[in-house]
Amino acid sequence: MFDNGSTTAAIVTLDLVEYGSSTPIRERIARELAIPVDHILVTSSHDHKCPRGGPITPGTSSEQGRPYSTPAYTQQVDDSILDALRKAKASLQPARVGIGTGRADINVYRAVYTPKGWGGGANPDGPSDKTVWVVKFESLSGERSPC
């Protein structure tokens, strides 16, 4: 969570395969914590070993019958998000932020041309962004932020 004295913003990252539409949780955060909806980012890591959360997004495989999380699980995730943001808001302190980039060669373009046409596979010569962005938060005394 960020606050410069006049504007507050929040970034919520979830270790889920997907979250679905974040509009309902962003609207709840706005109501309960007075953070403007357009100042809240909710994103998921897309970890295939984790469940999904949030309401089903129209047009996705979950809408077409793929397993999705129960409303009770989504409520638990949403409540945990609000709890974490309340704690973050209560512990806000002056901080410095830094940004940098690095490179990681673990991703690969997955479209492969074969004699039968285009298909799935590993194409190391295809386009893929190898850039890794890193953001660092630290206290004014140089201690790493607990966020």
Side-chain angles (χ1 to χ4, degrees), residues 51-94:
R52 70 173 314 285
I56 294 172
T57 304
T60 65
S61 58
S62 293
E63 183 187 47
Q64 299 162 8
R66 185 174 181 210
Y68 63 92
S69 297
T70 65
Y73 178 77
T74 295
Q75 183 67 47
Q76 177 187 346
V77 170
D78 291 357
D79 291 346
S80 296
I81 290 168
L82 264 292
D83 183 53
L85 289 175
R86 282 187 194 98
K87 289 176 182 174
K89 191 170 189 175
S91 63
L92 282 171
Q93 59 180 296

Side-chain angles (χ1 to χ4, degrees), residues 97-129:
V97 62
I99 189 166
T101 62
R103 180 177 169 90
D105 291 309
I106 61 171
N107 62 330
V108 65
Y109 189 64
R110 298 188 306 177
V112 177
Y113 189 74
T114 69
K116 295 182 180 183
W118 286 97
N123 181 353
D125 297 321
S128 65
D129 186 356

